[in-house]
Amino acid sequence: MFPSTFRAITCSMAILCVAPVVAQDQPAATNPNVSARPNIVWIMSEDNSKHYLKHFDETGVETPAIEAMAAHGVTFDRAFSNAPVCSTARTTLITGCYGPRIGTQFHRRTEPATLPQGVEMFPAWLRQSGYYTTNSSKEDYNAKKRMQPWDDSSRKASWKNRPSDDTPFFHVVTFADSHEGRLHFDVDALQKPTKFDQETVSLQPYFPDTQVFRHTAAFYRDRMSIIDEKVASVVAQLEQAGELENTFVFYFGDHGGVLPRGKGYIYESGLHVPLVVRIPDNYRRLVDREIGSRTKGFVSFIDFAPTVLSLAGVPLDKAGPIDGKAFLGQRIDAAEVDSRDTTFGYADRMDEKYDLVRSIRVGDWKLIRSFESFQPDAMWADYRYKMLAYQQWRDRYHTGKLNNVQSQFFKPRPPELLFNLADDPHEVNNLAGDPLHGDRLTELRMKLNAHLKQTNDLGFLTEAGMLKILDAPVANGKRLSHEIASYIDTANIAVMPWDQASKALLSAINSGDMLQRYWALVAASSIAASNRSANLDMAADDTFLKLLRRRTLDPEPLVASRAAQLAAILQTEDPRPVFQRTLQLSQSPTEALQIFNMVRHVHALPGTPFPMGSKMFQLPFQPDPKGLIQQHLDHLDLP
């Protein structure tokens, strides 16, 4: 299923363009206590997937307030963030657009993207149509505002401050009690009891069964109980003001997480979010569903903006559709929503860690394409490893105390991961190499590649390259669509049979196009890390090695650095002199940040054949002492 408007007009190159007028067929209220248009409230909890609420997963905690909402509304069993981290996910929510299409996919963006003409953060259209819009209080967007989306966005923002009781409102409240930072406790905290029973708490099979993990898993469920209390408070305030039955109340997580292998990763633990929508009695006519029902129809964050606009009676202009489709509202057919079965995910840089990953899920089948698969999931990120569970997991790996499933996180990945979620909900049994599922793999691969090309995925320009076009990312993506498609094809050499890939690699590595060379080297690194036979062939091939040495002298720092990284994987050449030179020649802090990601990967290779320290490197600029590059430098000096 490709992007389309909520009127099912397919348009994968879409931009958001909403006609700021109230729908004429929205009936006026006859009850003087009922607004002409419904209010809408979003309640977001940070960093939690659906797996920690019993309403969605039997191993979760009971959440009576959320369950009461569900009893008076609709539960969406298959709701997904498109990205597994805050800023990227929230930008998708506020625009209704795929991040890689509009240049907003990097977490802790170097620069905010300029939204295309006609694209606005959707509450701006609500404001223009007469809604009072408030946000309490987190924004965290990766794009520049044009029209102001909020009447108030602050800790004091409240729908109660609307100009009159007749003014409909859209209010967003975010609760941080479930945020990743709540799990940054010290060792002493392990002695404190948890309300959720640590003896019976369920652990994912990829975790070691230790006190640290049991305490963390139980403690996080306790945090979800606090979230439930906060949800109850919001609902109670609406009820006390006489507005509950005039208000659609959404509860959802702002992406998955936050135990290890959740936030930042596009496994289900990072993308599959809880979603419940309470349906107000006075607006049941806008929902084609039974109260208290559940649906397995797929909805994702690109769909939330058109859904709110649909409920509010603000139509989309046919000339400028967005990427998502409404799943509630007038003329939204429940049977059609129930038939939706596809979602796309994306992950790029998260803080200082680069890792370009894309996914597609169709029904219970999911394909994850790791374009830099030679890097393990466990690549270092400072904020992530503040958590004791992450630290212990890593330490037990290095001391040989993990089984094969628990060790997967710390090893290079296959370029493709294929999972049957019906049998393998935790995504630990990769079926990509199983001939029995070859047709399924081919089908999902083709659908994913078509999506990447049709959305002109800007991740294939690299972040440093993308920054040059952020003044008009969508227009430039269209202009460069042929080139982007060719870079995707080059990167996909990594999934070709080796006897076909070897010739294609030689040609692409010798290309006159900088990014063709770059992605060819990335593909070669993925092959070398996952295919022992191909690794040996590359290391023994004089023609290939001569070309690789030539690329280490490439005038483009990113290309030369990728060549050095591949040489380190093959252990044919010391990459450190190349990294020293390319960092001195780096043309921007963003380019240097990506090179340092390669440095850190090589530094962490088993046995550290090429150890490095911060004093080895000089930069043409002074790094921010509290910035991401300095984090890389500091960590290189740790024992």
Side-chain angles (χ1 to χ4, degrees):
M1 183 184 300
F2 295 107
S4 59
T5 68
F6 73 82
R7 290 192 175 99
I9 302 172
T10 301
C11 182
S12 43
M13 294 297 111
I15 63 172
L16 178 58
C17 184
V18 182
V21 295
V22 180
Q24 297 302 309
D25 56 2
Q26 181 86 345
T30 56
N31 185 334
N33 296 319
V34 178
S35 302
R37 291 180 286 167
N39 310 312
I40 301 156
V41 170
W42 281 4
I43 306 172
M44 278 191 275
S45 53
E46 294 201 66
D47 298 1
N48 67 279
S49 62
K50 63 103 178 177
H51 305 88
Y52 303 102
L53 289 77
K54 193 170 185 178
H55 185 63
F56 293 90
D57 190 303
E58 62 182 10
T59 69
V61 66
E62 292 183 355
T63 50
I66 295 169
E67 291 164 18
M69 282 180 54
H72 204 283
V74 180
T75 297
F76 292 83
D77 285 313
R78 292 182 172 181
F80 305 92
S81 175
N82 298 101
V85 66
C86 305
S87 66
T88 311
R90 286 173 172 269
T91 307
T92 303
L93 280 169
I94 205 70
T95 62
C97 298
Y98 287 116
R101 184 173 71 81
I102 64 172
T104 61
Q105 72 271 35
F106 292 100
H107 180 59
R108 295 295 163 257
R109 78 290 190 282
T110 305
E111 293 180 18
T114 298
L115 292 175
Q117 288 299 318
V119 176
E120 298 290 346
M121 296 182 181
F122 80 88
W125 299 118
L126 292 172
R127 287 188 74 208
Q128 200 168 90
S129 70
Y131 271 74
Y132 182 69
T133 64
T134 50
N135 177 53
S136 175
S137 62
K138 184 172 182 176
E139 293 187 356
D140 205 11
Y141 308 138
N142 290 339
K144 300 174 186 176
K145 298 172 186 173
R146 195 172 16 251
M147 291 171 57
Q148 176 54 251
W150 304 112
D151 286 291
D152 188 8
S153 180
S154 69
R155 292 186 178 182
K156 296 181 179 179
S158 171
W159 57 268
K160 298 177 183 178
N161 299 327
R162 58 187 167 151
S164 76
D165 290 345
D166 296 329
T167 305
F169 57 83
F170 172 61
H171 179 63
V172 176
V173 58
T174 300
F175 293 126
D177 303 85
S178 53
H179 187 270
E180 179 178 11
R182 297 295 195 269
L183 300 188
H184 291 173
F185 45 73
D186 59 22
V187 175
D188 292 341
L190 298 176
Q191 306 308 314
K192 299 177 181 179
T194 55
K195 292 182 180 179
F196 199 97
D197 186 2
Q198 295 182 32
E199 294 299 319
T200 61
V201 73
S202 178
L203 293 177
Q204 290 88 329
Y206 44 81
F207 290 153
D209 190 350
T210 68
Q211 182 200 4
V212 169
F213 272 89
R214 286 193 168 273
H215 181 95
T216 303
F219 181 78
Y220 194 70
R221 286 164 173 80
D222 288 351
R223 306 310 297 178
M224 295 312 304
S225 294
I226 295 173
I227 292 294
D228 192 62
E229 293 171 1
K230 297 289 182 72
V231 171
S233 176
V234 173
V235 173
Q237 289 178 43
L238 290 165
E239 187 170 26
Q240 290 165 9
E243 292 293 348
L244 183 58
E245 300 309 335
N246 296 329
T247 307
F248 286 91
V249 184
F250 290 59
Y251 163 72
F252 57 99
D254 74 342
H255 55 76
V258 68
L259 270 71
R261 196 179 177 263
K263 182 177 181 178
Y265 300 96
I266 58 177
Y267 299 108
E268 293 297 285
S269 54
L271 294 179
H272 199 154
V273 299
L275 173 62
V276 168
V277 182
R278 188 187 188 280
I279 309 302
D281 288 344
N282 294 328
Y283 291 93
R284 287 185 62 172
R285 67 182 181 275
L286 296 181
V287 176
D288 179 28
R289 291 192 180 278
E290 293 294 324
I291 296 300
S293 62
R294 305 181 79 116
T295 174
K296 293 186 180 299
F298 281 38
V299 300
S300 62
F301 277 11
I302 56 167
D303 302 319
F304 281 50
T307 297
V308 171
L309 295 170
S310 174
L311 291 171
V314 180
L316 297 179
D317 187 319
K318 294 181 181 179
I322 60 174
D323 288 333
K325 297 194 300 183
F327 51 83
L328 293 172
Q330 285 192 313
R331 296 183 301 279
I332 303 303
D333 178 36
E336 187 279 324
V337 175
D338 291 345
S339 71
R340 300 180 192 177
D341 67 351
T342 303
T343 185
F344 294 99
Y346 42 87
D348 291 79
R349 178 173 58 77
M350 178 174 167
D351 297 330
E352 73 269 40
K353 174 182 176 290
Y354 279 92
D355 191 17
L356 195 154
V357 190
R358 300 291 184 261
S359 69
I360 179 174
R361 176 174 172 177
V362 179
D364 284 327
W365 286 89
K366 183 172 178 182
L367 174 65
I368 297 176
R369 176 70 172 92
S370 300
F371 287 91
E372 297 169 271
S373 61
F374 44 89
Q375 298 179 161
D377 281 326
M379 278 286 287
W380 186 271
D382 273 15
Y383 193 77
R384 183 171 298 153
Y385 280 92
K386 292 180 185 292
M387 192 187 301
L388 288 180
Y390 265 116
Q391 295 172 21
Q392 186 188 66
W393 198 12
R394 177 198 59 197
D395 293 344
R396 291 178 75 88
Y397 173 73
H398 288 302
T399 54
K401 297 178 181 178
L402 300 179
N403 62 34
N404 288 336
V405 169
Q406 295 163 357
S407 298
Q408 289 174 355
F409 188 74
F410 301 91
K411 296 179 179 179
R413 298 155 288 171
E416 293 179 312
L417 296 166
L418 178 68
F419 300 113
N420 179 357
L421 299 173
D423 299 330
D424 180 25
H426 295 294
E427 297 161 289
V428 297
N429 182 24
N430 180 22
L431 302 176
D434 187 337
L436 291 176
H437 303 292
D439 289 345
R440 180 80 64 174
L441 175 64
T442 299
E443 175 192 1
L444 293 181
R445 180 192 293 162
M446 290 175 63
K447 288 183 176 180
L448 179 58
N449 285 331
H451 170 76
L452 300 182
K453 292 177 180 180
Q454 291 174 4
T455 54
N456 300 317
D457 191 309
L458 299 177
F460 291 89
L461 300 180
T462 75
E463 186 177 15
M466 193 188 75
L467 291 179
K468 299 174 184 177
I469 65 165
L470 277 186
D471 59 327
V474 173
N476 281 308
K478 291 180 180 179
R479 177 177 60 83
L480 296 170
S481 61
H482 177 76
E483 289 86 347
I484 291 171
S486 71
Y487 303 148
I488 293 169
D489 288 340
T490 298
N492 280 331
I493 294 173
V495 300
M496 295 170 58
W498 173 236
D499 59 347
Q500 300 174 29
S502 56
K503 179 182 287 188
L505 281 178
L506 287 173
S507 175
I509 291 173
N510 207 31
S511 171
D513 184 316
M514 171 261 186
L515 285 174
Q516 288 283 9
R517 302 195 299 274
Y518 174 89
W519 285 111
L521 291 164
V522 171
S525 294
S526 291
I527 294 170
S530 62
N531 185 327
R532 178 62 177 166
S533 175
N535 184 306
L536 295 173
D537 287 349
M538 290 184 203
D541 187 330
D542 287 340
T543 300
F544 184 84
L545 291 180
K546 287 179 182 178
L547 183 55
L548 181 59
R549 291 189 191 101
R550 188 185 309 165
R551 289 285 74 87
T552 63
L553 300 174
D554 199 283
E556 294 289 346
L558 284 177
V559 175
S561 298
R562 283 299 191 194
Q565 185 178 32
L566 174 55
I569 292 170
L570 297 173
Q571 296 194 30
T572 58
E573 196 167 325
D574 187 342
R576 291 172 290 189
V578 181
F579 288 142
Q580 288 174 312
R581 186 180 71 254
T582 56
L583 284 167
Q584 284 183 312
L585 296 174
S586 57
Q587 299 171 27
S588 70
T590 303
E591 188 173 70
L593 180 63
Q594 189 164 1
I595 294 171
F596 268 117
N597 208 71
M598 303 175 209
V599 168
R600 290 284 298 283
H601 168 250
V602 171
H603 179 71
L605 286 172
T608 56
F610 308 108
M612 288 170 270
S614 65
K615 293 181 180 179
M616 292 179 61
F617 304 108
Q618 294 181 351
L619 295 167
F621 56 86
Q622 185 65 37
D624 180 348
K626 295 183 179 181
L628 299 179
I629 288 176
Q630 190 62 50
Q631 289 181 16
H632 278 303
L633 289 167
D634 291 344
H635 191 261
L636 284 172
D637 295 331
L638 294 178

